[in-house]
Amino acid sequence: MAATRSSVLAAMLLLIPAAIVDAQFKCPKNRGQFEDPVQCDKYYVCDEGEATEKLCPDGLVFDPTIKLVNKCDQPFNVDCGDRFELQPAQGTTDYCPRKNGFFSHPDPSICNVFYSCINGEELEMSCTGGLHFDEKSGTCVWPDKLNDGFQCPKETRYDKNGQVITHPNYPHPSDCSQFYYCLNGIEPRLGKCDAKMVYNEDLQRCDDPENVPECCGGRTGRLLRFEDPYQCDKYYECNDGRVKEQLCPDGLVFNPASKLVNKCDQVFNVDCGGRKELQPPRPIGVCPRQNGFFPHPDSSICNIFYNCINGRELEMTCVAGLHFNEPTGTCVWPDMANRQGCGSNANKKLNDGFQCPKNAQKMDKNGQIITHPNYPHPDDCQRFYICLNGIEPRQGTCDQGMVYNEDLQRCDDPENVPGW
C-alpha cells in the first residue's frame, strides 16, 4: 500500500512542472501568437484560449510587433527588452554557433568576413573595402580602428595658413598608393589613389609617381600593385622604379581594393568598372576557365554548379529549391537567378515534376482566395509546395521534427497530422 502511494505521489510530482507552465501563461486573446515574458525565442500560439508553447528556429527570436505569420526574426531586428533567456545553442561548427543568423568569423583578427547561417549551413560573405562586420547590427560598418592598427591622432592638424583641417590625411607607412583620412578628425578610413598614382604627403593628395621619387616600391621596399585600365585580370608590379606586367590565374580578376597580398579574386567580388577585357580562357572539362564558380554545362540542371581551382572541379549542389546564380556565385531563388531552361516562371515545373494547378484557385475557410497556396508533397511529409501568386512553384521544407499539415496549410507537430 505504501509503495502504491509513493508511485502515485511521484507521478503527481512529474506532472507539476507542465501544470505550472500552463498556469503561468494566460492567452491575452482567444487566437494569436504571443511572446514569452522571459525567453526571447519562445512564444505561445493561442487557439480558442488554449496556449501551445513554441520555439523559434535556433538563432532567431520572436518579434510580437511584426504582422507576418512567421514572427521569428534576426536578433538585431528585435527589441527583446527583458526577455534575456534563449534556448540552448544547436550550432555544430565554429562558423555557425547557432543554426540561423549572421555571425562573425571565428578568428577575431578577420573582421571583414562573416557568415550567413541557414539551418546550420553557412555561406561566407565579405564586407566591402575597409568595412568591418558588426554582429550586433548585422551590417558592415566603419571601424574605430583599422585592421592595420591605425587610429586618428588626437592632435589637431593645421594647414599652411593656420586653419584647422576638418578631415586630415595621413600617409600609409608601407604602401604609397594608399593613405588614411580622418573624418572630422576622429573617424579613420583608408583611402586609395587611382591606378598608377601614389600619395604625395607634401600636397596632401594623390600624384604621379615621378613627383614622389621615394614611393615606387613603397616606403619600406614593399611592392606596389596597380590595375590595368582596360583588362580586369591584368595588373602591374612596381618595385625599385621598375614596372612588371602580371596576369591573375585564369578565371580570377585583379581587385585593387583588396588589402591582401594576393589581390586576385573571384569575378563576383570585384567591380571591374570599365576594365572589360580578359585573358583568353583555358578551359578544362566542365571548367570554362581554370578558376571560378560555374553552372552545370546542361542548362536544364540549375541546382548543380562547379567550384574550379586550377582546372580541377568540385561538384556542389544548392539546397532544395534554389538555383545557382553565376553573377553572384551563390544559390538564390529561381526567379532571382532567372536562368533560361530552368526558371520558375508561371506554370513551369520543378525538377520533381510538380506544377501549380491551373484554373484552380484555392480558398480558405472563409471563402477568401489564398494568394500563395500550399500543396503537400506526395512522398515526403516534411516537404510541401508553395505557388507564388498561384502560378509560380517553389518547394518548402519544414523544420526538423515538424511535418506539413494540409488542413492548417503550415508545418505542425507530427501527432497533429493523421496518417503520419
Side-chain angles (χ1 to χ4, degrees):
M1 181 68 176
T4 302
R5 287 164 59 186
S6 299
S7 300
V8 171
L9 180 59
M12 291 176 65
L13 289 173
L14 289 173
L15 292 172
I16 287 174
I20 291 174
V21 171
D22 290 340
Q24 282 178 341
F25 188 82
K26 300 291 185 183
C27 290
K29 298 179 181 179
N30 280 342
R31 292 181 181 274
Q33 300 179 44
F34 306 96
E35 72 271 27
D36 182 84
V38 178
Q39 186 169 328
C40 199
D41 55 3
K42 182 191 291 185
Y43 63 100
Y44 300 90
V45 177
C46 290
D47 189 4
E48 299 298 336
E50 293 187 6
T52 303
E53 182 180 299
K54 298 285 186 179
L55 281 176
C56 290
D58 179 41
L60 305 183
V61 293
F62 184 77
D63 185 355
T65 66
I66 61 177
K67 298 180 180 180
L68 301 175
V69 174
N70 181 6
K71 298 180 184 294
C72 294
D73 201 353
Q74 299 291 343
F76 48 78
N77 290 330
V78 182
D79 180 9
C80 284
D82 295 330
R83 298 180 293 141
F84 297 118
E85 295 182 13
L86 294 171
Q87 63 182 296
Q90 301 172 28
T92 56
T93 69
D94 291 338
Y95 303 111
C96 294
R98 288 187 178 272
K99 296 181 84 170
N100 298 275
F102 293 84
F103 302 101
S104 303
H105 195 286
D107 183 343
S109 67
I110 303 176
C111 300
N112 66 320
V113 176
F114 62 101
Y115 295 88
S116 171
C117 296
I118 303 174
N119 294 328
E121 295 189 15
E122 77 271 6
L123 173 64
E124 184 176 289
M125 308 180 76
S126 297
C127 297
T128 55
L131 300 185
H132 287 182
F133 177 67
D134 177 32
E135 196 166 320
K136 292 182 180 179
S137 64
T139 59
C140 296
V141 299
W142 285 108
D144 293 330
K145 182 169 69 174
L146 299 183
N147 285 344
D148 59 8
F150 175 82
Q151 285 182 294
C152 293
K154 295 181 179 179
E155 298 79 14
T156 302
R157 198 162 190 183
Y158 300 90
D159 62 18
K160 294 179 181 179
N161 300 318
Q163 301 295 315
V164 174
I165 302 175
T166 306
H167 311 298
N169 295 341
Y170 299 90
H172 193 281
S174 59
D175 190 339
C176 287
S177 68
Q178 300 186 85
F179 60 95
Y180 305 107
Y181 59 101
C182 292
L183 295 181
N184 298 310
I186 57 173
E187 186 177 333
R189 295 189 181 180
L190 184 67
K192 184 169 179 62
C193 296
D194 290 336
K196 300 186 181 181
M197 302 284 279
V198 296
Y199 181 70
N200 187 325
E201 187 175 3
D202 293 334
L203 300 178
Q204 288 277 293
R205 61 175 173 81
C206 295
D207 198 0
D208 292 320
E210 54 263 31
N211 298 328
V212 192
E214 72 274 17
C215 259
C216 191
R219 299 176 197 279
T220 60
R222 181 179 171 183
L223 285 175
L224 285 178
R225 293 180 173 88
F226 304 100
E227 69 268 34
D228 183 84
Y230 306 106
Q231 186 169 327
C232 200
D233 54 4
K234 182 190 292 186
Y235 64 99
Y236 302 92
E237 288 184 348
C238 179
N239 190 19
D240 294 330
R242 297 180 181 179
V243 178
K244 184 177 181 181
E245 181 181 299
Q246 301 281 20
L247 280 176
C248 289
D250 178 40
L252 304 182
V253 293
F254 184 76
N255 185 3
S258 173
K259 296 179 182 178
L260 302 176
V261 175
N262 180 6
K263 297 180 184 296
C264 293
D265 200 352
Q266 298 290 342
V267 175
F268 47 78
N269 287 332
V270 183
D271 180 10
C272 285
R275 299 180 293 142
K276 305 294 186 184
E277 297 179 13
L278 293 171
Q279 62 184 292
R282 292 186 287 154
I284 297 178
V286 295
C287 298
R289 287 188 179 270
Q290 294 202 11
N291 297 274
F293 292 81
F294 304 101
H296 194 284
D298 183 343
S299 61
S300 67
I301 302 176
C302 300
N303 65 325
I304 295 177
F305 62 101
Y306 296 92
N307 178 12
C308 296
I309 302 174
N310 295 326
R312 299 184 64 180
E313 78 275 4
L314 173 64
E315 184 175 289
M316 307 182 75
T317 303
C318 297
V319 296
L322 301 187
H323 288 178
F324 175 67
N325 185 34
E326 189 172 0
T328 60
T330 58
C331 295
V332 299
W333 284 114
D335 59 325
M336 296 175 64
N338 196 27
R339 292 175 56 183
Q340 294 183 356
C342 62
S344 64
N345 298 323
N347 302 319
K348 292 290 185 179
K349 288 184 179 180
L350 297 182
N351 289 341
D352 62 3
F354 174 80
Q355 191 173 22
C356 292
K358 296 180 181 179
N359 303 320
Q361 291 179 330
K362 207 167 188 179
M363 305 287 186
D364 61 17
K365 294 179 179 180
N366 298 319
Q368 301 295 315
I369 296 175
I370 302 175
T371 307
H372 310 298
N374 296 341
Y375 298 91
H377 193 282
D379 305 315
D380 190 340
C381 287
Q382 281 193 300
R383 296 184 178 183
F384 58 97
Y385 301 106
I386 310 161
C387 287
L388 295 183
N389 298 310
I391 58 174
E392 185 176 331
R394 291 185 181 178
Q395 189 175 90
T397 304
C398 295
D399 290 336
Q400 188 172 2
M402 305 284 280
V403 296
Y404 181 70
N405 187 326
E406 186 174 4
D407 293 333
L408 299 179
Q409 288 276 295
R410 60 176 172 80
C411 296
D412 198 359
D413 294 317
E415 57 264 28
N416 298 328
V417 182
W420 164 251

